[in-house]
């Protein structure tokens, strides 16, 4: 139990320290991004930074609660947690509230709860439970499909809310699957799909199809002594071409203009800083304004002028960039990298499959959030609205990530007891 | 292997992100500029430009409020264009054109629609303004001239152009800067320093507070008032005298180098370059290539000085010990130096010593003296360079260093110049080749202000102060030390007295004896300068320029003056009359020689100036000589063809 000093020492304090640093610096930047010189009394709960402070305090309560529970509780109740989570997502279609276009919220008075933020932890638990089952064999197609279903169900419910960003995060579960033995072919396939997708957008389907054909013929001729199968090569080339053309079709006919724009901006095809590219351009200006050491706390002109939209939520990293400069931003990047690496390192130490798989799930989810969010803010990836863990303003997000992380801290702390 | 996938991707991502941050924050510096444009609004607070006073503390230039009609295109609501145009006194096309221009410039930012409306126009419009949304009136300050003369030395104010902005970071687009004259020369003093306020803007371009609590803001520093050395009364009188003439008058106070009057004719009313008609008026004067009202002839005109230069020839002769005051030199209607054409002279008593030589302006006398002072040296080269060194000490052949932004150095030839033109050492040259210099013709040229300056140096018996127009910077109470330093000439003061006596003789019994002013002992020297122009590519002589230099009183001189009237024929005709009444006006405050004044005022040279442009044959120098024969022939051709 948490009361005993042995247990307290068994928690990984590196993770806890990194967590506190992230939440703390996140709050400082939310303060800066939402601070308004004369608008409100400091302690008014209309101030977003005061709200976030309350969220953090409640989050600490959640941490204590999670650490108090028995480590075995999570494994035992994972299926139930998962089902409750799915139901809470489905319930949105009936009871959900719409905020900025997405019906992702339950309203309790002034407090909004976003179940998709908690579903990630639930799915991680369910997947860990399923994969750690002795009867599950990840090499078998049947079990692979079952695992995919566990992952895909919440994502499929989230997509039509619509919240494609949150759904995208479920791709993170590829990492624990791969770690547990999923065939490398999936990796190659996934990588090829992404590569073909980008190439098609950049060069058009005709060039990509032609390129696939040339490479196919080249490899075929090169390997002709080994008597390669013509059909296989032909099939792969055909699949590439077909994929390229369908990507092109979907991009041009199924995607809406705003989606197309988001890709085009990142691919450098279309730069219009005033309308479409406004978010990205403003975010880059704010970050660039930071220089080596930043403008200083509360001194960011872009932050003060609120030029970057959603700066306290999805674009919070631009505040870091402007006010704390290259040094501060690098520090935050290192905090995230450090946290993720620490989780991976600890996961590998787990003697219990459930804990290890869950740890990989946590690392994957945090990583995907980090990459997609910071990549977007830095103008490297298309605009996808997902928060930066521990940093972005919002109670559900903070609590969801806190629970996700501290379940792992609890599982890890229990490692010794499993001996 | 399987353990490494996520690990390596995470590390790779870290490297990419830090690299991207480095690129955005450290390598690419354009963001700082963009963010400044984004978020900071800079507002300038312009101090009032300093006033300008004359030497008697009479206000001559002050400021007046002016009103610009501004518009923010996207805030304009439909309005009654007809009524509005009537109020503004412009036609509808003009309004539509200006509004379109403003919209193209920026729909959100203010543009000037009608600039610089007067107080009267504004008063009429003011109470109606509320009817026209999106328009407003912006006040600014313009020059208000209390005098309708003196534009040549006052200069004017204009909006800065891109090259000024590039060269001087103080100026922003839309700022005003002094151009020409005192306005340009003392721009920094008159202008003051504008105050800067920085505001933080938000994404709607609204001001949300001061930037960094105003620690970077500065208060405006008011411009200082200037007192000029110009005597406004004298200046005005001079300009009146020069009506219908071209040329200039420059009067100095020899004891200080102060410029009392700086008249360039034709001149213009400085108010022409203020307000709505400014650009129209400026263009008109700028393209007037015949009378060139924007050219300051006193500072920019380089002319052969003519006879007044003889005083310098005499001084150099005395200093070089090649002549004394008693030696008489005979003149047989000119000076024959062995060339095919003698240097002619007019009719006067002969032989003459120095005083009489100056008073009667004898060419032969000065040719002799000049030749001796060159030939004193072993080579003419040394002689010429020695001669030039003396003239340089009078401020000739180089920029004089006065405090106005324009000027010319004039020209005093040196040995190098003659070596080049005579192809020395292939051919040799001697003092006689340069003999025209003796009488201020030939290669010598100078600006009228240089002539006034050497006259002042003679008046002071050997020294001068650099001419200047600044008398006092109010609140500073000193002037640049360059104008307080005595400039000593290379001529010993004792040699000046005979020359001064000669110049006094000019008035007493010489070439200006009809111009005496009762009660004032004036010393002067007439000058008549031949000049040429080109008509249809041919060199054509025009009526001589009338020049005159003078100072008075003879002892303790208070004014030195140079007058220059283009095509005024002979020295005492226009130049001498003008110099005499100007001196009387300055020293006495009123003019008793009304006959001289009357003659100058009623005589116009416009007919003279029209001659070269007429395309018809014409005579010069009072009909004695018909020039431009080829024009005559052309006329005849036309008759024949008919």
């Amino acid at each position: 139990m948490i009361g005993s000093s042995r247990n307290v020492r068994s928690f990984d304090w590196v993770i806890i320290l990194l967590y506190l640093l992230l939440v703390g610096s996140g709050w400082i930047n939310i303060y800066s991004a939402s601070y308004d010189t004369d608008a409100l009394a400091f302690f008014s709960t209309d101030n977003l930074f005061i709200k976030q402070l309350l969220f953090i305090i409640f989050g600490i309560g959640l941490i204590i609660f999670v650490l108090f529970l028995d480590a075995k509780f999570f494994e035992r109740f994972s299926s139930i947690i998962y089902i409750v989570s799915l139901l809470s997502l489905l319930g949105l279609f009936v009871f959900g509230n719409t905020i900025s276009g997405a019906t992702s919220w339950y309203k309790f008075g002034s407090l909004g709860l976003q179940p998709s933020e908690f579903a990630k932890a639930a799915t991680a638990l369910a997947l860990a439970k399923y994969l750690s089952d002795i009867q599950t064999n990840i090499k078998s197609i049947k079990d692979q499909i079952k695992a995919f279903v566990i992952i895909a169900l919440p994502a499929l419910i989230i997509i039509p809310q619509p919240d494609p960003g949150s759904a995208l995060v479920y791709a993170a579960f590829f990492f624990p699957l791969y770690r547990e033995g999923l065939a490398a072919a999936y990796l190659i396939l996934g990588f090829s799909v992404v590569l073909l997708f980008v190439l098609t957008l950049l060069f058009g389907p005709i060039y990509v199809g032609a390129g696939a054909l040339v490479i196919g013929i080249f490899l075929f001729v090169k390997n002709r002594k080994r008597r390669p199968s013509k059909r296989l090569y032909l099939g792969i080339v055909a699949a590439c071409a077909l994929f390229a053309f369908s990507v092109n079709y979907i991009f041009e006919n199924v995607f809406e203009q705003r989606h197309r724009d988001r890709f085009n901006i990142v691919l450098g095809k279309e730069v219009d800083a005033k309308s479409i590219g406004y978010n990205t351009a403003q975010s880059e200006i704010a970050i660039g304004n930071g220089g080596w050491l930043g403008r200083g706390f509360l001194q960011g002109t872009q932050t003060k002028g609120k030029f970057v939209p959603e700066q306290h939520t999805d674009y919070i990293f631009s505040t870091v960039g402007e006010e704390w400069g290259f040094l501060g931003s690098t520090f935050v990047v290192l905090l995230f990298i450090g946290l993720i690496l620490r989780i991976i390192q600890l996961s590998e130490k787990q003697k219990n499959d459930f804990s290890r798989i869950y740890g990989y799930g946590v690392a994957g989810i945090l990583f995907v959030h980090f990459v997609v969010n910071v990549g977007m803010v830095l103008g490297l990836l298309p605009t996808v609205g997902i928060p930066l863990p521990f940093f972005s303003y919002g109670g559900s997000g903070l609590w969801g990530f806190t629970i996700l992380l501290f379940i792992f801290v609890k599982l890890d702390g229990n490692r010794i007891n499993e001996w | 292997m399987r353990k490494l996938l996520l690990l390596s991707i995470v590390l790779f991502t870290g490297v990419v992100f830090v690299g991207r941050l480095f690129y955005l924050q450290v390598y690419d510096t354009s963001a700082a500029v963009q963010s400044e444009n984004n978020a900071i609004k800079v507002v300038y607070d312009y101090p009032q430009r300093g006033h300008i006073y004359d030497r008697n503390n009479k206000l001559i230039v002050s400021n007046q409020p002016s009103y610009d009609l501004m518009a923010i295109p996207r805030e304009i609501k439909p309005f009654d264009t007809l009524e509005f145009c009537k109020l503004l006194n412009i036609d509808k096309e003009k309004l539509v054109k200006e509004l379109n221009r403003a919209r193209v410039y920026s729909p959100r930012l203010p543009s000037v629609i009608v600039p610089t409306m007067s107080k009267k126009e504004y008063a009429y419009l003011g109470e109606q303004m509320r009817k026209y949304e999106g328009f407003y009136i912006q006040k600014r300050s313009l020059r208000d001239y209390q005098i309708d003369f003196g534009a040549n030395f006052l200069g004017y104010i204009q909006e800065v152009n891109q090259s000024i902005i590039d060269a001087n970071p103080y100026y922003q687009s839309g700022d005003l800067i002094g151009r020409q004259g005192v306005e340009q020369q003392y721009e920094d003093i008159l202008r003051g320093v504008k105050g800067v306020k920085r505001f933080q803007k938000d994404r709607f371009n609204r001001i949300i507070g001061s930037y960094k609590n105003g620690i970077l803001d500065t208060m405006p520093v008011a411009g200082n008032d200037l007192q000029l050395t110009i005597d406004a009364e004298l200046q005005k009188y001079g300009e009146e005298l020069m009506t219908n003439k071209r040329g200039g008058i420059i009067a100095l106070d020899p004891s200080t180098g102060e410029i009392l009057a700086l008249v360039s004719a034709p001149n213009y009313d400085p108010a022409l370059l203020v307000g709505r008609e400014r650009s129209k008026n400026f263009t008109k004067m700028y393209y007037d290539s015949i009378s060139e009202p924007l050219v300051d002839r006193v500072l920019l005109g380089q002319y052969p000085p003519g006879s007044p230069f003889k005083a310098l020839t005499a001084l150099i002769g005395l200093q070089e010990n090649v002549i004394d005051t008693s030696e008489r030199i005979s003149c047989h209607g000119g000076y024959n130096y062995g060339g095919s054409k003698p240097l002619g002279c007019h009719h006067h008593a002969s032989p003459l010593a120095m005083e009489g030589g100056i008073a009667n302006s004898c060419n032969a006398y000065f040719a002799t003296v000049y030749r001796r002072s060159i030939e004193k040296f072993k080579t003419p080269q040394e002689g010429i360079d020695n001669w030039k060194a003396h003239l340089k000490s009078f401020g000739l052949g180089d920029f004089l260093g006065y405090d106005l932004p324009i000027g010319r150095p004039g020209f005093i030839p040196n040995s190098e110049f003659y070596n080049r033109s005579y192809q020395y050492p292939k051919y040799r040259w001697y003092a006689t080749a340069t003999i025209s210099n003796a009488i201020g013709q030939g290669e010598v040229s100078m600006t009228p202000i240089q002539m006034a300056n050497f006259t002042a140096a003679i008046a002071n018996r050997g020294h001068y102060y650099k001419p200047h127009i600044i008398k006092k910077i109010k609140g500073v109470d000193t002037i640049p030390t360059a104008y307080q330093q005595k400039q000593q000439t290379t001529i010993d003061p004792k040699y000046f007295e005979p020359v001064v006596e000669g110049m006094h003789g000019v008035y007493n019994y010489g070439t200006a004896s009809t111009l005496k002013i009762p009660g004032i002992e004036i010393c002067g020297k007439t000058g008549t300068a031949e000049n040429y122009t080109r008509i249809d590519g041919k060199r054509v002589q025009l009526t001589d320029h009338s020049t005159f230099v003078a100072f008075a009183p003879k002892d303790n001189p208070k004014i030195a003056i140079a007058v220059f009237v283009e095509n005024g024929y002979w020295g005492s005709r226009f130049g001498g009359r003008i110099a005499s009444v100007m001196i009387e006006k300055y020293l006495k405050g009123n003019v008793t020689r009304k006959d001289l004044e009357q003659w100058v005022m009623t005589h116009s040279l416009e007919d003279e100036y029209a001659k070269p442009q007429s395309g018809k044959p014409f005579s010069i120098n009072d009909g004695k000589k018909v020039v431009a024969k080829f024009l005559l022939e052309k006329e005849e051709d036309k008759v024949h063809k008919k």
Side-chain angles (χ1 to χ4, degrees):
Chain A
M1 284 282 112
I2 196 158
S4 70
S5 63
R6 194 178 62 94
N7 269 350
V8 170
R9 246 181 285 130
S10 70
F11 295 133
D12 185 63
W13 286 94
V14 174
I15 289 186
I16 294 171
L17 181 70
L18 288 170
Y19 169 84
L20 291 176
L21 280 172
L22 283 169
V23 170
S25 36
W27 185 79
I28 286 170
N29 285 289
I30 288 168
Y31 179 83
S32 190
S34 61
Y35 161 87
D36 210 331
T37 354
D38 45 18
L40 295 164
F42 187 85
F43 284 109
S44 160
T45 49
D46 287 341
N47 278 328
L48 295 179
F49 54 87
I50 291 297
K51 277 192 182 172
Q52 183 72 4
L53 195 61
L54 296 177
F55 296 152
I56 291 170
I57 292 166
F58 188 76
I60 291 168
L62 282 177
I63 291 170
I64 294 167
F65 177 71
V66 167
L67 295 183
F68 253 108
L69 288 174
D70 188 87
K72 286 289 164 200
F73 169 84
F74 301 107
E75 192 173 351
R76 232 171 265 145
F77 286 88
S78 57
S79 308
I80 292 166
I81 293 170
Y82 180 68
I83 288 164
V84 169
S85 179
L86 285 185
L87 288 175
S88 74
L89 286 173
L90 284 169
L92 287 172
F93 291 105
V94 186
F95 306 106
N97 280 65
T98 307
I99 293 174
S100 42
T103 313
S104 316
W105 306 79
Y106 289 114
K107 270 281 194 201
F108 302 104
S110 68
L111 182 69
L113 273 183
Q114 197 179 0
S116 60
E117 292 296 343
F118 301 95
K120 284 172 256 190
T123 310
L125 284 173
L127 186 70
K129 169 84 175 165
Y130 177 71
L131 291 181
S132 60
D133 193 321
I134 290 172
Q135 303 199 342
T136 305
N137 176 11
I138 192 67
K139 299 274 194 286
S140 90
I141 299 286
K142 208 181 93 190
D143 287 356
Q144 280 171 12
I145 291 172
K146 277 185 187 165
F148 288 151
V149 168
I150 291 170
I151 298 164
L153 265 178
L156 288 174
I157 303 171
I158 289 167
I159 287 174
Q161 286 179 0
D163 188 0
S166 294
L168 179 75
V169 173
Y170 288 83
F173 290 112
F174 170 79
F175 292 111
L177 284 173
Y178 180 75
R179 171 64 185 80
E180 297 308 313
L182 191 69
Y186 288 96
L187 182 66
I188 295 164
L189 186 70
F191 182 72
S192 309
V193 163
V194 172
L195 187 70
L196 275 175
F197 182 78
V198 172
L199 287 177
T200 305
L201 294 189
L202 274 179
F203 302 109
I206 295 168
Y207 284 103
V208 171
L213 189 65
V214 170
I215 292 168
I217 292 169
F218 175 76
L219 290 176
F220 185 78
V221 173
K222 204 182 164 204
N223 296 333
R224 64 185 178 279
K225 280 181 187 161
R226 281 191 262 160
R227 299 181 172 274
S229 146
K230 271 184 198 168
R231 274 189 199 169
L232 179 67
Y233 274 79
L234 213 61
I236 290 171
V237 170
C240 287
L242 194 70
F243 179 76
F245 278 95
S246 50
V247 161
N248 193 54
Y249 178 82
I250 290 167
F251 190 73
E252 295 297 339
N253 300 296
V254 179
F255 273 27
E256 290 170 34
Q257 186 58 42
R258 62 194 170 102
H259 298 130
R260 279 197 286 277
D261 290 333
R262 289 177 184 182
F263 282 98
N264 285 336
I265 290 160
V266 172
L267 296 175
K269 275 179 147 182
E270 209 172 287
V271 177
D272 181 355
K274 284 205 177 103
S275 52
I276 308 301
Y278 181 82
N279 293 16
T280 309
Q282 292 301 327
S283 160
E284 284 181 25
I285 289 171
I287 289 170
N289 196 26
W292 274 109
L293 299 174
R295 296 269 137 180
F297 180 52
L298 298 182
Q299 299 300 318
T301 57
Q302 307 302 295
T303 304
K304 263 194 178 175
K306 307 206 188 310
F307 288 92
V308 185
E310 295 298 320
Q311 203 178 8
H312 58 291
T313 59
D314 293 352
Y315 279 91
I316 189 69
F317 193 71
S318 66
T319 310
V320 182
E322 189 183 20
E323 300 204 335
W324 305 97
F326 177 69
L327 250 61
S329 316
T330 304
F331 176 69
V332 171
V333 168
L334 291 180
L335 285 182
F336 273 106
I337 303 280
L339 178 66
I340 294 165
L341 292 182
R342 180 70 180 169
I343 294 168
I344 295 170
Q345 186 199 12
L346 289 180
S347 302
E348 289 295 342
K349 280 191 188 164
Q350 301 302 315
K351 286 150 197 94
N352 166 334
D353 285 353
F354 176 81
S355 304
R356 182 182 64 242
I357 298 165
Y358 180 77
Y360 259 85
V362 174
I365 287 167
L366 291 179
F367 176 67
V368 169
H369 268 274
F370 171 67
V371 168
V372 172
N373 180 282
V374 177
M376 163 185 82
V377 174
L378 295 179
L380 291 171
L381 293 175
T383 308
V384 175
I386 60 172
L388 185 62
F390 313 120
F391 248 75
S392 291
Y393 170 81
S396 303
L398 178 68
W399 298 334
F401 288 117
T402 302
I403 292 169
L404 180 76
L405 181 67
F406 278 87
I407 290 174
F408 179 70
V409 172
K410 177 68 189 173
L411 293 176
D412 173 63
N414 208 39
R415 197 170 73 217
I416 297 131
N417 299 346
E418 306 243 323
W419 192 254
Chain B
M1 174 61 205
R2 286 187 178 273
K3 292 175 189 174
L4 292 179
L5 177 73
L6 184 56
L7 188 80
S8 43
I9 292 180
V10 169
L11 287 172
F12 174 74
T13 307
V15 171
V16 170
F17 281 179
V18 172
R20 175 69 173 170
L21 282 167
F22 185 83
Y23 172 79
L24 286 176
Q25 300 189 299
V26 180
Y27 178 77
D28 181 8
T29 50
S30 64
V33 179
Q34 287 182 43
S35 60
E36 184 102 340
N37 293 343
N38 250 354
I40 296 165
K41 184 187 173 91
V42 182
V43 176
Y44 295 104
D45 192 351
Y46 292 93
Q48 217 191 63
R49 204 172 169 86
H51 291 183
I52 300 176
Y53 297 86
D54 90 333
R55 67 184 293 111
N56 301 316
N57 254 329
K58 182 185 162 196
L59 180 66
I60 52 180
V61 185
S62 57
N63 299 308
Q64 58 179 328
S66 141
Y67 304 87
D68 291 347
L69 179 74
M70 312 291 290
I72 299 172
R74 58 183 245 145
E75 290 176 11
I76 295 173
K77 301 267 155 65
F79 62 94
D80 184 344
T81 40
L82 207 64
E83 193 193 26
F84 198 45
C85 286
K86 220 166 137 192
L87 279 171
L88 294 170
N89 195 21
I90 58 173
D91 54 32
K92 199 182 155 189
E93 284 94 73
K94 167 108 172 128
L95 182 69
V96 170
K97 205 181 98 194
E98 289 298 327
L99 284 175
N100 281 333
R101 207 172 51 88
R103 199 168 290 118
V104 169
Y105 167 64
S106 165
R108 290 159 187 270
L109 296 178
S111 290
V112 180
I113 303 298
V114 181
T116 56
M117 291 182 293
S118 69
K119 213 185 237 173
K120 217 166 88 186
E121 285 172 304
Y122 164 68
Y124 196 53
L125 190 61
E127 56 194 81
Q128 308 280 340
M129 277 311 292
R130 57 181 175 76
K131 286 201 273 187
Y132 305 101
E133 258 184 80
F135 292 92
Y136 67 97
I137 301 279
Q138 181 176 286
K139 189 177 160 189
R140 57 175 188 165
S141 184
L142 289 183
R143 277 311 205 190
D144 189 11
Y145 294 98
Q146 313 299 317
I147 53 174
D148 61 357
F149 52 86
N152 59 317
F153 64 80
L154 289 174
Y156 49 89
I157 310 286
Q158 72 171 31
E159 245 176 58
V160 289
N161 56 33
Q162 197 55 46
S163 62
I164 294 171
I165 297 171
D166 293 342
N168 188 336
Y170 175 86
Y171 295 99
Q172 311 281 320
S173 171
D175 279 8
L176 298 173
I177 190 172
R179 291 283 289 155
Q180 298 295 355
V182 172
E183 298 277 19
Q184 176 174 339
Q185 186 74 29
Y186 293 103
E187 162 72 8
D188 293 356
I189 289 161
L190 290 169
R191 180 192 69 201
V193 181
K194 65 187 168 191
V196 183
K197 281 202 174 77
R198 283 164 212 272
F199 294 100
Q200 168 82 45
K201 290 190 295 187
D202 72 357
R203 63 186 187 280
F204 303 114
N205 229 1
R206 292 177 307 208
I207 287 175
I208 54 171
S210 69
Y211 174 58
K212 292 200 169 176
N213 288 327
I215 54 165
L216 296 174
D217 295 356
T218 53
M219 292 293 285
V221 178
N224 282 329
D225 292 351
L226 280 191
Q227 185 178 14
L228 301 185
T229 59
I230 296 286
D231 182 323
E233 276 298 301
L234 189 66
Q235 175 77 23
K236 182 176 187 217
Y237 185 60
E239 293 203 16
E240 279 165 9
L241 292 172
M242 289 301 286
T243 316
N244 297 325
K245 293 153 207 87
R246 295 180 196 161
I249 308 172
I250 162 91
L252 302 174
D253 181 342
S255 63
T256 56
E258 291 174 354
I259 298 172
L260 302 172
L262 186 72
V263 178
S264 174
N267 209 343
Y268 58 93
D269 181 350
L272 286 180
L273 294 188
V274 176
R276 284 168 84 171
E277 302 292 308
R278 179 190 186 284
S279 97
K280 202 171 89 187
N281 291 333
F282 185 83
T283 311
K284 202 171 132 195
M285 292 195 285
Y286 185 81
Y287 286 108
D288 184 353
S289 61
I290 293 171
S291 64
E292 298 186 309
L294 294 179
V295 174
D296 192 322
R297 288 164 160 80
V298 176
L299 306 178
L300 293 180
Q302 295 186 112
Y303 310 97
S307 300
F309 191 78
K310 289 170 181 167
L312 295 172
T313 304
L315 286 169
I316 294 169
L318 288 169
Q319 178 71 28
E320 292 299 331
N321 236 339
V322 295
I323 186 94
D324 58 28
T325 51
S326 55
E327 186 185 344
R328 288 162 169 270
I329 291 169
S330 25
C331 169
H332 308 288
Y335 177 70
N336 201 326
Y337 54 96
S340 55
K341 199 174 143 205
L343 190 66
C345 194
H346 57 101
H347 188 73
H348 60 79
S350 171
L352 289 169
M354 179 162 288
E355 253 190 70
I358 294 174
N360 291 301
S361 199
C362 174
N363 285 350
Y365 182 89
F366 291 100
T368 308
V369 173
Y370 172 77
R371 191 172 168 180
R372 284 187 195 167
S373 50
I374 303 294
E375 288 178 349
K376 181 190 168 193
F377 294 87
K378 265 186 237 145
T379 65
Q381 279 83 358
E382 281 174 64
I384 284 286
D385 287 338
N386 179 63
W387 170 78
K388 180 176 169 127
H390 285 304
L391 294 173
K392 199 167 187 299
S393 75
F394 282 86
L396 301 175
D398 202 354
F399 292 101
L400 206 44
Y402 50 77
D403 52 348
L404 284 168
I406 51 170
R408 292 268 166 81
F411 185 67
I412 304 294
N414 58 6
S415 59
E416 227 172 90
F417 172 81
Y418 288 115
N419 283 346
R420 210 169 37 241
S421 45
Y422 290 108
Q423 297 181 30
Y424 182 86
K426 200 172 159 195
Y427 305 104
R428 303 171 70 105
W429 56 273
Y430 300 98
T432 46
T434 66
I435 202 76
S436 308
N437 290 341
I439 57 166
Q441 298 275 347
E443 284 75 34
V444 175
S445 75
M446 56 186 75
T447 58
I449 193 169
Q450 284 176 319
M451 292 181 70
N453 188 55
F454 86 65
T455 308
I458 294 171
N460 288 337
R461 276 75 164 170
H463 69 266
Y464 68 92
Y465 292 89
K466 282 186 180 173
H468 54 276
I469 200 163
I470 182 84
K471 188 155 178 71
K472 198 174 174 185
I473 299 166
K474 299 271 174 90
V476 179
D477 288 351
T478 87
I479 59 166
T481 50
Y483 304 125
Q484 298 170 339
Q485 283 161 6
K486 196 190 253 189
Q487 311 284 323
Q488 199 66 41
T489 65
T490 53
I491 310 294
D492 196 305
K494 70 181 175 197
Y495 294 129
F496 281 87
E497 218 47 58
V499 174
V500 169
E501 284 305 328
M503 289 175 76
H504 190 220
V506 169
Y507 261 88
N508 267 347
Y509 54 87
T511 47
S513 52
T514 57
L515 306 177
K516 269 186 253 181
I517 303 292
I520 303 175
E521 298 294 317
I522 307 181
C523 304
K525 185 73 199 78
T526 54
T528 304
E530 291 184 353
N531 65 103
Y532 300 85
T533 186
R534 287 195 166 270
I535 303 176
D536 290 355
K538 289 202 171 63
R539 190 162 185 260
V540 175
Q541 188 177 7
L542 298 180
T543 299
D544 297 341
H545 292 328
S546 167
T547 61
F548 199 90
V549 301
F551 63 88
K554 189 176 142 204
D555 299 311
N556 288 325
K558 294 209 157 45
I559 179 169
I561 191 165
V563 181
F564 178 89
V565 179
E566 286 181 16
N567 311 119
Y569 199 5
W570 70 89
S572 56
R573 187 169 174 242
F574 279 97
R577 285 184 170 103
I578 290 171
S580 299
V581 290
M582 284 288 283
I583 287 171
E584 187 175 22
K585 174 87 179 169
Y586 180 67
L587 293 179
K588 285 188 183 164
N590 62 322
V591 174
T592 54
R593 287 293 303 263
K594 291 284 177 198
D595 58 325
L596 298 181
E597 183 185 288
Q598 194 61 26
W599 191 92
V600 173
M601 299 270 194
T602 52
H603 280 69
S604 162
L605 284 168
E606 289 301 336
D607 292 345
E608 197 65 47
Y609 301 135
K611 283 176 183 175
Q613 265 86 39
S614 65
K616 293 198 176 80
F618 56 89
S619 62
I620 60 163
N621 291 354
D622 271 8
K624 278 174 196 152
K625 192 172 172 188
V626 176
V627 296
K629 277 202 190 114
F630 63 93
L631 289 172
L632 203 64
E633 284 151 18
K634 252 172 50 182
E635 284 283 292
E636 281 163 4
D637 281 354
K638 273 187 212 156
V639 176
H640 287 305
K641 273 173 196 160
K642 275 177 193 165

